[in-house]
Amino acid sequence: MDTVQILATISDNRNIEWVKVSLRNSNDIPVLSTITKKPATADYELNVMYFFDDIHLASGQYYFDISASDGENITTQYIDILL
């Protein structure tokens, strides 16, 4: 089983309600489990291990969708990966 460590620094002027990390294919469909954190703080250091737990996941182009919300706004970053 392969694993990728995801690190991010997230800041807001309000408390961050949630942070989500998901792996998506080129059709914007999640292909593995979504990791959700609920930090309830204005500054958050995300440090998660993302497990590729589907041995049948095809090789190819994917991207990580890392989103954070303060309850009003959502900010998203995308990271392309080749599996």
Side-chain angles (χ1 to χ4, degrees):
M1 180 180 339
D2 290 320
T3 306
V4 172
Q5 183 176 24
I6 307 239
L7 302 169
T9 300
I10 302 160
S11 301
D12 197 272
N13 61 339
R14 300 173 47 167
N15 278 350
I16 301 161
E17 285 194 11
W18 54 259
V19 176
K20 294 182 181 179
V21 178
S22 65
L23 183 69
R24 295 175 173 269
N25 65 18
S26 60
N27 295 319
D28 197 31
I29 297 170
V31 293
L32 296 175
S33 301
T34 297
I35 297 172
T36 302
K37 299 292 183 180
K38 298 186 178 206
T41 182
D43 297 303
Y44 182 61
E45 296 292 328
L46 177 69
N47 183 357
V48 296
M49 300 303 287
Y50 197 91
F51 297 100
F52 292 82
D53 54 3
D54 181 351
I55 61 170
H56 302 291
L57 190 61
S59 297
Q61 190 71 37
Y62 294 88
Y63 66 93
F64 280 108
D65 175 330
I66 304 168
S67 300
S69 175
D70 64 5
E72 279 188 27
N73 302 302
I74 298 173
T75 299
T76 303
Q77 279 285 46
Y78 302 101
I79 301 170
D80 291 326
I81 67 164
L82 184 59
L83 195 64

